[in-house]
Amino acid sequence: MSDRAPPPRPSRPPPSEGSTPRGVVLKGIAGSPGVAVGHALVVGDTKAAYTRRHVAPNQVEAEVLRLERAVDDARQHVREVAAKLPVAPLETNAILDAYLTMIGDPMLLDRVTVKIRDERKCAEWAVAQACDEIGKMFSPADISERDAYIAERRHDVEFVRDRLLRELTGDTKQLVPRLDQPMVVVARDLSPADTAAMVREPVIAFVTEIGSRTSHTSIMARALEIPAVVGTGEALSVIRTGDIVVVDGLRGEVVVNPNDITVEEARGRGARHLAFARGLLSARNQPCVTLDGESVTLKANVELPAEAILALDHGAEGIGLYRTEFIYIDRSTMPSEQEQYELYRAVVEAVAPRPVTLRTFDIGGDKFASSFQLPAEMNPALGLRAVRLALSRPEVFLTQLRAMIRASAHGELRIMVPMIASVHELREVRILLARALADVDAAGHARARHIPLGIMIEVPSAVIMADVLAREAEFFSIGTNDLVQYTLAIDRGNRSLAPLASPFNPAILRMIRQVVRAAATHSVPVALCGAMASDPLAAVLLVGLGVRELSMEAAAIPEIKEAVRRVTLADCEATAEAALALDTAEAVEELVAGTFAPGLFDLLAGTSEGGTYGAPTDSERHLATPTTERE
Ligand code: PEP
Ligand code: MG
């Protein structure tokens, strides 16, 4: 039985049948900044076709050999792509390395081999089935809506499946043919190797139907400085090969067959962005100090180890939040202490002498990991999540703590615990940390003499008890993504309620003020690492509320630094005071914008021009709905 016919791959793409009406606007997610205008090349569904057949007993070993050869060839393909990159940014190589590891993952290959040997399935069938099973293990039905990051890891398995099938079937032609003119590639999704391979072609932008800001396509496109709009939903049914498209990686939108005015505007915006971004980046190592001399520390939030390098490139003074969840995703077995130690050590060494805050795993809720095999819950956001899960699986938690402790021998490291809701939980963590320290010492490993233990403040009870928690935690980091969710009772993944989930809500501002005051009384440093920190207007308001450390997506750091450098602490404090007295989020936003927007106009308009780049929020994960262009 054949899956699906492979898409035609002409050497020079002919225009597709029919034409798209003028000026259709597709909304997506701004994956990589910049604006490009060019002809579209729709690469269609890239799934490899294969035939399902049983093999005779005497052919089984030959089939296993075919599999092994396909794995070698697939890995060789990725190495060749990496070798041909003109200037390979470090993070690009790291992503391709991870892809190489996944292709040779023993867990996957064992599963495939069992299917060939025991079920006598041909290698193609066995690969497809094994990958589909692994994909399902960490893919509850609605996960793509709830957590783009996890959905992305599922796509990685699909890319591996596709690559191995291509090697097995001999269908190894390039996804994008050699082009003789600059084109915009439009696809359902692109694997890291596909994305990297296109750098040699005159590809000027990417548009993908699925993906998020943390998807590999976005990270690679940012590293390679190619504009990208991802998560457009229905690009393949709207855009035809040969259509002219404007890809606006600042606003997160694609205009199909635009009018001349739109094209002219887009070109102007692209040129202004380039000049602006170069200016900001060149100032990345300037101190982050207000006009009246108050210092604010800017750090980066990191999910993939490769992003640590990107963070330094953008002027991060350290890693304020290293989300370790990804280590537990895409696998059925727990990561070992040694494996985790090596990962943490790599990040700590890459960032040294700057500090790194490693957050213990925040699995559960909307962050699903197959390795934990969690029970289904009626209300996972209020269920066995984060520190609760850690305390219920002490062996898993201790393994992570030991790995973190060992990594502390290589640089400045702090350990942070997510979702602390009571002092009791923090005490329980301290007991386990003491045990992990003793284990590390008994095993004779090196470590820092003292490793600060801090907590995320992201549950309302932690805000109310902040003065008590401050006696026992060595630092706080306010997680506004969850604090907004739990305070306003709005699911952070619910797109239709996203406009109500504003961090400018006075309830949230009062909570931040309360935490800052409690922390100050006990001399506990307080940072803020929710997406709020990457919005220039919110950032200056936070400075006014007393927050002196902000941690955010690396790409936002240059803008936020520039924003801080243009305001005075006195203005920030006066505005924060006035904001605390207001009664609605809208009134707060109006006040803050009225005070600071004139001075930050180019930061609010120049990079994003009303768009979304640089200030990611859950509310940006909106569904694509085609509209028509503005006249
Ligand atoms: C937060 O909740 O604000 C936060 C930074 O953590 P996460 O987004 O990983 O839940
Ligand atoms: Mg959180």
Side-chain angles (χ1 to χ4, degrees):
M1 200 195 318
S2 180
D3 228 14
R4 212 180 309 220
R9 295 202 172 94
S11 62
R12 171 85 197 272
S16 320
E17 295 288 307
S19 67
T20 309
R22 289 190 76 85
V24 173
V25 180
L26 286 174
K27 291 280 182 196
I29 295 165
S32 175
V35 184
V37 181
H39 286 96
L41 170 66
V42 180
V43 294
D45 193 333
T46 59
K47 275 209 160 60
Y50 71 97
T51 305
R52 294 178 197 171
R53 60 187 168 84
H54 283 288
V55 292
N58 63 355
Q59 291 171 343
V60 161
E61 288 316 308
E63 209 57 19
V64 173
L65 259 180
R66 279 184 69 225
L67 169 71
E68 287 169 1
R69 223 171 285 134
V71 170
D72 288 347
D73 291 347
R75 289 167 60 88
Q76 187 54 26
H77 166 79
V78 176
R79 280 192 208 101
E80 280 167 16
V81 166
K84 285 181 193 156
L85 278 174
V87 200
L90 281 171
E91 58 272 29
T92 315
N93 277 339
I95 289 174
L96 291 175
D97 276 352
Y99 190 42
L100 268 180
T101 310
M102 284 173 59
I103 291 173
D105 181 0
M107 200 258 288
L108 167 68
L109 300 183
D110 285 354
R111 197 177 268 260
V112 179
T113 312
V114 165
K115 287 187 188 298
I116 299 175
R117 290 214 167 102
D118 298 359
E119 299 170 29
R120 289 205 269 113
K121 288 180 169 148
C122 69
E124 290 88 335
W125 191 1
V127 163
Q129 245 188 9
C131 288
D132 292 348
E133 285 167 10
I134 291 173
K136 275 193 201 121
M137 282 193 318
F138 54 93
S139 321
D142 66 342
I143 200 84
S144 59
E145 294 257 323
R146 299 178 61 83
D147 193 322
Y149 172 70
I150 293 166
E152 191 58 34
R153 306 289 81 79
R154 186 184 59 210
H155 298 154
D156 289 342
V157 178
E158 285 171 19
F159 295 141
V160 169
R161 174 192 194 274
D162 195 61
R163 191 68 234 164
L164 288 176
L165 286 179
R166 285 191 187 287
E167 297 298 346
L168 283 165
T169 57
D171 176 19
T172 52
K173 287 181 267 63
Q174 284 290 346
L175 176 69
V176 173
R178 290 240 156 250
L179 302 174
D180 52 14
Q181 59 168 314
M183 302 279 287
V184 171
V185 169
V186 182
R188 179 171 176 270
D189 199 4
L190 295 167
S191 77
D194 288 337
T195 314
M198 282 179 218
V199 175
R200 296 192 316 278
E201 310 298 335
V203 173
I204 52 170
F206 301 124
V207 177
T208 60
E209 285 196 333
I210 53 182
S212 65
R213 300 174 73 85
T214 53
S215 69
H216 285 154
T217 315
S218 300
I219 296 173
M220 301 267 287
R222 290 201 286 271
L224 300 165
E225 295 176 3
I226 299 174
V229 176
V230 298
T232 57
E234 42 192 8
L236 291 186
S237 53
V238 175
I239 306 172
R240 309 252 187 277
T241 289
D243 280 348
I244 302 264
V245 286
V246 168
V247 181
D248 192 328
L250 302 169
R251 291 178 173 167
E253 77 182 24
V254 180
V255 187
V256 191
N257 291 326
N259 61 31
D260 292 349
I261 300 169
T262 301
V263 169
E264 207 175 301
E265 270 177 14
R267 292 213 162 105
R269 209 164 45 252
R272 284 198 300 282
H273 162 73
L274 267 185
F276 181 80
R278 283 192 191 126
L280 280 183
L281 263 184
S282 67
R284 66 179 177 263
N285 294 324
Q286 300 280 334
C288 184
V289 180
T290 61
L291 289 172
D292 46 356
E294 187 71 17
S295 284
V296 179
T297 303
L298 302 186
K299 292 184 183 169
N301 293 352
V302 165
E303 291 184 13
L304 303 171
E307 288 175 308
I309 310 289
L310 196 66
L312 297 186
D313 281 354
H314 285 77
E317 293 171 70
I319 304 297
L321 167 62
Y322 178 25
R323 293 178 166 105
T324 58
E325 290 80 69
F326 89 97
I327 298 165
Y328 298 85
I329 291 168
D330 284 9
R331 57 192 304 153
S332 56
T333 54
M334 286 293 170
S336 68
E337 177 186 319
Q338 183 63 21
E339 183 183 345
Q340 293 189 59
Y341 159 66
E342 282 166 18
L343 273 170
Y344 304 149
R345 174 185 175 164
V347 172
V348 168
E349 283 183 341
V351 173
R354 303 170 193 84
V356 174
T357 301
L358 297 179
R359 183 173 75 181
T360 60
F361 59 80
D362 183 6
I363 306 282
D366 61 348
K367 294 165 181 159
F368 180 84
S370 50
S371 47
F372 277 90
Q373 297 180 348
L374 295 174
E377 291 178 300
M378 286 289 284
N379 199 341
L382 304 180
L384 192 60
R385 180 184 166 182
V387 68
R388 282 177 206 156
L389 179 61
L391 293 173
S392 76
R393 306 273 175 99
E395 282 315 314
V396 179
F397 193 36
L398 280 166
T399 303
Q400 182 173 47
L401 290 174
R402 283 194 295 267
M404 289 180 168
I405 293 166
R406 287 172 58 191
S408 73
H410 305 282
E412 197 182 327
L413 181 153
R414 313 193 298 178
I415 296 178
M416 178 159 77
V417 190
M419 301 283 298
I420 286 281
S422 73
V423 181
H424 176 73
E425 285 170 340
L426 176 56
R427 289 182 187 153
E428 293 285 300
V429 172
R430 267 218 187 277
I431 292 169
L432 288 177
L433 182 62
R435 199 192 303 172
L437 285 163
D439 289 348
V440 168
D441 292 345
H445 296 300
R447 66 168 171 94
R449 224 158 52 83
H450 178 69
I451 303 167
L453 177 68
I455 61 172
M456 298 269 310
I457 302 278
E458 51 185 346
V459 178
S461 62
V463 174
I464 293 163
M465 297 297 284
D467 56 332
V468 178
L469 287 164
R471 290 191 214 121
E472 303 190 26
E474 289 161 271
F475 62 93
F476 286 164
S477 188
I478 304 173
T480 41
N481 305 341
D482 276 311
L483 190 59
V484 168
Q485 157 163 274
Y486 293 117
T487 303
L488 304 180
I490 296 173
D491 177 352
R492 61 191 273 182
N494 187 325
R495 298 166 197 223
S496 54
L497 295 179
L500 298 177
S502 169
F504 289 101
N505 189 302
I508 303 299
L509 303 188
R510 288 182 192 208
M511 289 176 127
I512 294 170
R513 163 56 62 94
Q514 190 176 335
V515 173
V516 168
R517 287 201 166 148
T521 309
H522 296 273
S523 305
V524 167
V526 51
L528 188 141
C529 62
M532 181 183 188
S534 58
D535 175 333
L537 292 178
V540 295
L541 181 61
L542 290 169
V543 171
L545 287 167
V547 181
R548 291 293 175 273
E549 181 180 318
L550 300 170
S551 191
M552 66 203 75
E553 193 200 13
I557 291 176
E559 286 136 67
I560 300 302
K561 181 179 288 186
E562 184 60 23
V564 170
R565 287 167 61 83
R566 287 193 200 167
V567 297
T568 63
L569 177 62
D571 284 346
C572 294
E573 286 181 338
T575 309
E577 255 343 289
L580 284 165
L582 294 172
D583 48 9
T584 64
E586 292 71 25
V588 172
E589 276 196 78
E590 213 170 287
L591 168 77
V592 182
T595 312
F596 295 110
L600 305 178
F601 179 75
D602 53 339
L603 294 176
L604 300 169
T607 50
S608 63
E609 306 206 359
T612 55
Y613 197 81
T617 65
D618 292 322
S619 59
E620 287 166 12
R621 296 174 184 170
H622 48 265
L623 283 166
T625 323
T627 52
T628 43
E629 74 192 314
R630 293 169 288 270
E631 288 298 331

